[in-house]
Amino acid sequence: MMAMRRGPTSINRDDAAYRRGLVLGLTMAEIMLLLVFCLLIAAAVIFKRDREVREDLNDRLTTNQAALRQVETERLRLERLVDASRQSVASAPNEIDEEWRKLVASAVMLQRIKDAGLSPEQLVQSAADIREVEPLFEKGMSGAQIASAASSATDMQAQLAVTDLARVSPAELVRLASIGLETESAGEGEHDWPPIISLSEAKGYSFAVGRAELTPDFAEELRTSIAEQVVGYIKRYDATVVEVIGHTDEQPMAPRPSNLDANLISVLGGSASVDTLVPGDNAGLGMARAVSVASALRTDPRFKSVMVLPLSGGQMILPGDEVTDGTSTGDARDRRRIEIRVRRPEAAPAQ
């Protein structure tokens, strides 16, 4: 009887243990499923966050790429602007120098016009008339004759057709007209004498400093337009003598030995070069420069039958044939000049 009671009790205990094991097993499975579910939820959250990060990075990349393209476009535009600026700066000095030369030349010419007692405004208004009248005056007509001729356009055109004075500037005509009217009023008859051709440094006709060598531009003008003008005067006035007079300003030259006595004649004859001349003072410098111009003219076949005489005025004669008082010792470009005059020869003295 005692053994029969232990049996059920053992079964009951086993059954309870089984139930507890079953419950525990189910509970562990549920816990595992719950953990897996939580892990899946966490993974989903992480995947979603990664996707959002990737999308944000893609958006930023797209925005940055667009900004980079804009920056590249702006860089190319700035490079083009810089290149254009460099080209502009490279050409600017020449343009500025040229404009400055024009301004200086204009200022000098304006002052000369005013010094001659003329009105710049009237000259500008009468520019066309001045160009028409210029050749008439150079042909030897007086101021009164020019005024009369101006009333007939046909006569002026006929005169222009037979002259070779297109290279003479209107400003030079104004200067010559002023001199002509003054001499005419004094009864000197300016139109009876050949005009003087004045080639001053202020007009661009220059030499090497303290030397007698012609600048290339001066030499070219001397071979072409100046020679043509002198030949025209020789024919018009039946002249056979050309005087070339060298003038300087009053700036003293540094002392140095002169070789003009030994070399002048050789240079004029063409057997020695002008660059061998070394003048020791202004009188010698004027003579050396006169010889330089005279020797250039003598090489022109048109001067074969003409006597070309070099002379020196040194620093003594002012423009307008006035003797200096010796007080103007500064730089005077208008005084550094070559004057060319044509005339008939002096009559030989009776034997």
Side-chain angles (χ1 to χ4, degrees):
M1 293 296 289
M2 292 297 289
M4 294 297 289
R5 284 196 294 269
R6 278 198 302 272
T9 301
S10 177
I11 293 171
N12 289 336
R13 284 198 301 270
D14 293 339
D15 183 57
Y18 172 77
R19 286 196 298 272
R20 283 195 301 271
L22 180 60
V23 171
L24 181 59
L26 291 173
T27 302
M28 290 299 293
E30 291 172 352
I31 290 173
M32 292 301 294
L33 289 173
L34 181 60
L35 288 174
V36 171
F37 180 74
C38 290
L39 290 173
L40 290 174
I41 292 175
V45 171
I46 293 173
F47 291 155
K48 181 180 180 182
R49 185 176 299 170
D50 288 344
R51 184 172 63 253
E52 291 176 350
V53 170
R54 287 196 302 272
E55 291 176 352
D56 182 60
L57 291 176
N58 286 333
D59 292 341
R60 291 184 183 182
L61 179 60
T62 303
T63 302
N64 290 337
Q65 287 176 342
L68 182 61
R69 286 193 294 269
Q70 292 180 354
V71 170
E72 182 65 16
T73 301
E74 183 66 15
R75 183 185 67 81
L76 293 175
R77 186 182 69 84
L78 290 176
E79 285 182 352
R80 289 193 293 268
L81 289 176
V82 169
D83 291 340
S85 299
R86 287 174 179 170
Q87 294 175 1
S88 176
V89 170
S91 61
N94 293 334
E95 295 175 358
I96 292 173
D97 290 344
E98 182 62 24
E99 290 300 320
W100 178 253
R101 284 193 293 270
K102 290 180 180 178
L103 287 173
V104 172
S106 298
V108 172
M109 186 56 68
L110 186 64
Q111 187 59 47
R112 290 182 61 195
I113 291 173
K114 291 180 179 179
D115 291 343
L118 301 169
S119 168
E121 291 79 8
Q122 292 180 356
L123 288 176
V124 171
Q125 295 173 358
S126 307
D129 294 337
I130 290 175
R131 294 189 187 96
E132 295 292 335
V133 169
E134 181 173 336
L136 300 177
F137 183 84
E138 295 294 348
K139 283 179 64 67
M141 299 178 66
S142 67
Q145 289 173 320
I146 291 176
S148 175
S151 63
S152 174
T154 302
D155 291 342
M156 281 195 293
Q157 291 299 326
Q159 293 285 350
L160 288 170
V162 297
T163 60
D164 186 21
L165 302 173
R167 296 177 181 271
V168 182
S169 67
E172 185 67 8
L173 168 66
V174 173
R175 189 184 73 83
L176 294 173
S178 176
I179 296 173
L181 290 174
E182 291 176 1
T183 55
E184 186 178 39
S185 63
E188 297 177 8
E190 168 68 16
H191 59 280
D192 294 332
W193 299 92
I196 299 171
I197 300 173
S198 180
L199 310 173
S200 71
E201 186 175 311
K203 297 178 184 177
Y205 303 103
S206 59
F207 297 83
V209 177
R211 306 284 297 179
E213 295 94 318
L214 299 165
T215 60
D217 289 343
F218 191 178
E220 178 63 22
E221 289 284 332
L222 198 59
R223 286 191 296 267
T224 56
S225 61
I226 296 171
E228 292 173 3
Q229 192 174 356
V230 176
V231 169
Y233 288 161
I234 290 173
K235 293 178 179 179
R236 188 173 307 133
Y237 295 96
D238 194 23
T240 56
V241 177
V242 175
E243 294 180 347
V244 180
I245 308 168
H247 297 273
T248 70
D249 57 18
E250 295 177 35
Q251 295 183 97
M253 294 181 61
R256 59 183 178 181
S258 170
N259 66 357
L260 299 191
D261 288 346
N263 292 0
L264 272 180
I265 297 177
S266 298
V267 172
L268 184 63
S271 59
S273 175
V274 173
D275 57 14
T276 63
L277 297 178
V278 181
D281 50 32
N282 279 313
L285 181 60
M287 175 58 78
R289 290 177 172 178
V291 168
S292 178
V293 173
S295 61
L297 292 177
R298 285 162 60 97
T299 61
D300 191 321
R302 292 174 293 182
F303 290 85
K304 184 177 181 180
S305 59
V306 176
M307 181 64 68
V308 182
L309 305 177
L311 304 170
S312 174
Q315 73 274 37
M316 296 297 297
I317 311 300
L318 297 171
D321 293 335
E322 296 182 10
V323 178
T324 182
D325 59 6
T327 60
S328 301
T329 58
D331 182 12
R333 298 180 64 199
D334 59 325
R335 292 187 59 180
R336 298 194 293 271
R337 67 197 188 278
I338 292 291
E339 290 183 348
I340 301 178
R341 309 183 183 209
V342 302
R343 63 174 175 82
R344 297 184 182 91
E346 295 290 340
Q351 297 295 330

